[in-house]
């Protein structure tokens, strides 16, 4: 009987050894315990499961919820999620300023329509009144740059009424690159005198502005650099999120007839905090660092 018990014990140990975890040939890989997403779908499923640590650090291909518990246990609950877990599709909203050219109230109407289309910080910068807006393309380009000393606008639109060649009324909008003061597009649509037809004309202008805006890169300025902290003039109000990584550009310039070239990428900034409704700060994670003349932008 003792011999039979001994044989049975050996058989049990053999079965247990076969059921244990196996490691494939090659370098050893560290594992961490995380919530099992199948736990609520099957009564027989284990509430937790073990995954390679690299999944926690770089994100599991089929979703980020699976790694939350494991990430917090390994890295700490106060630590920001890795950049790979920040939605790559998060893109800041373009900031457009609308300026009235001539005595009219068209700028306010167009501004409201663009706000409704998801653009941020649409304003009506009229520091000296409508009559001070320059008439020539070159002078308007310089005026745009003067409005944008702090890299506040990605684009500026001048809008006003004008007589067409056939004698009819037109709404004319000129769209300039905010950084370089380059004329990007001149938009003309037939305009009625007032009422609903005028609103329809403004809708047509707004649609064309949106079409051009899709091809303008989002950029912002660096307000200050203090030690490791880099402050930028963009924040929650335009869609920046914690942990987002942005590119740092240097040597940007306007190219006549084309638009603004942001320059060469010199680093990567990770957003680690916010200042007020329209500011943020971060730490340079890659590259040469940051300077106040540099620009910060998203990939495009």
């Amino acid at each position: 009987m003792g011999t039979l018990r001994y044989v049975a014990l050996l058989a049990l140990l053999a079965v247990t050894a076969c059921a244990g975890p196996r490691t494939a040939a090659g370098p050893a890989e560290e594992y961490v315990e995380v919530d099992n997403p199948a736990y609520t779908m099957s009564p027989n499923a284990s509430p937790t499961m073990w995954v390679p640590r690299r999944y926690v650090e770089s994100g599991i291909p089929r979703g980020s919820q699976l790694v939350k518990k494991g990430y917090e246990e390994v890295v700490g609950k106060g630590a920001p999620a890795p950049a790979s877990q920040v939605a790559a599709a998060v893109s800041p909203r373009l900031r457009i300023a609308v300026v009235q050219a001539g005595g009219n109230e068209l700028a306010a109407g167009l501004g409201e329509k663009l706000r409704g289309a998801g653009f941020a910080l649409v304003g009506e910068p009229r520091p000296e009144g409508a009559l001070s807006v320059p008439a020539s393309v070159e002078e308007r380009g310089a005026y745009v740059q003067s409005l944008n000393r702090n890299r506040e606008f990605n684009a500026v639109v001048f809008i006003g009424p004008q007589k067409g060649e056939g004698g009819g009324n037109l709404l004319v909008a000129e769209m300039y690159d905010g950084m370089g003061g380059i004329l990007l597009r001149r938009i003309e649509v037939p305009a009625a005198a007032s009422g609903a037809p005028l609103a329809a004309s403004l809708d047509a202008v707004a649609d064309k502005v949106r079409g051009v805006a899709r091809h303008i890169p989002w950029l912002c300025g660096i307000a200050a650099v203090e030690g490791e902290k880099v402050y930028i003039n963009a924040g929650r109000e335009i869609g920046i999120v914690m942990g987002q990584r942005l590119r740092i550009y240097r040597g940007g310039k306007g190219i006549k007839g084309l638009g603004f070239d942001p320059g060469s990428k010199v680093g990567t900034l990770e957003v680690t905090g916010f200042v007020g409704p329209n500011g943020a700060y971060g730490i340079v994670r890659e590259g040469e660092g940051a300077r106040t003349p540099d620009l910060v932008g998203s990939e495009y």
Side-chain angles (χ1 to χ4, degrees):
M1 192 67 156
T3 303
L4 289 176
R5 288 181 179 176
Y6 181 73
V7 171
L9 179 60
L10 287 178
L12 179 61
L13 289 174
V15 170
T16 305
C18 292
R22 296 193 176 201
T23 303
E29 188 165 22
E30 186 178 354
Y31 282 70
V32 293
E33 189 177 15
V34 299
D35 291 329
N36 185 358
Y39 180 56
T40 58
M41 295 181 274
S42 171
N44 298 321
S46 170
T48 61
M49 64 183 292
W50 290 85
V51 299
R53 184 189 181 99
R54 58 188 168 85
Y55 283 1
V56 175
E57 295 175 342
S58 61
I60 292 178
R62 58 196 179 92
S64 61
Q65 289 302 314
L66 180 63
V67 304
K68 182 179 179 184
K69 178 181 177 182
Y71 179 79
E72 289 179 348
E73 289 181 354
V74 174
V75 181
K77 291 190 176 182
S84 58
Q85 291 187 30
V86 175
V90 173
S91 181
R93 296 187 293 275
L94 210 66
R95 299 185 289 192
I96 299 179
V98 183
V99 183
Q100 66 180 36
N104 62 78
E105 297 301 322
L106 297 171
L110 180 60
E112 285 303 316
K113 292 183 181 299
L114 292 177
R115 280 193 190 94
F119 294 105
L121 301 180
V122 177
E124 299 171 58
R126 293 178 288 174
E128 298 151 2
L131 297 179
S132 67
V133 175
S136 73
V137 170
E138 291 76 14
E139 290 174 330
R140 286 190 179 187
Y143 182 72
V144 166
Q145 288 184 296
S146 72
L147 288 175
N148 201 31
R149 286 192 183 95
N150 296 321
R151 312 295 191 183
E152 188 175 356
F153 304 116
N154 301 115
V156 176
V157 179
F158 295 91
I159 184 168
Q162 187 173 307
K163 287 289 184 182
E165 292 182 358
N169 293 323
L170 296 174
L171 286 189
V172 178
E174 289 185 350
M175 191 168 180
Y176 287 75
D177 185 287
M179 300 291 177
I182 308 296
L183 176 62
L184 299 174
R185 190 69 51 86
R186 180 181 169 88
I187 298 166
E188 297 181 0
V189 301
S194 61
L198 179 59
S201 298
L202 282 174
D203 282 334
V205 173
D207 284 342
K208 292 179 183 294
V209 168
R210 287 195 293 270
V212 178
R214 284 198 296 267
H215 306 290
I216 299 177
W218 177 86
L219 295 164
C220 72
I222 294 179
V225 178
E226 297 181 3
E228 289 188 344
K229 279 188 176 181
V230 178
Y231 293 87
I232 60 175
N233 65 346
R236 289 189 179 96
E237 204 167 61
I238 63 163
I240 298 292
V241 298
M242 189 75 76
Q244 187 167 4
R245 290 204 172 192
L246 302 168
R247 292 184 172 189
I248 303 171
Y249 294 97
R250 186 168 298 160
K253 61 180 178 180
I255 307 298
K256 188 174 182 179
L258 296 178
F260 187 77
D261 174 11
S264 302
K265 180 187 173 185
V266 296
T268 301
L269 181 75
E270 181 179 342
V271 176
T272 56
F274 297 97
V275 182
N278 192 37
Y281 59 84
I283 298 173
V284 176
R285 295 300 188 191
E286 301 171 357
E288 306 173 12
R291 307 171 186 169
T292 49
D294 293 341
L295 296 172
V296 172
S298 58
E299 296 186 14
Y300 65 95

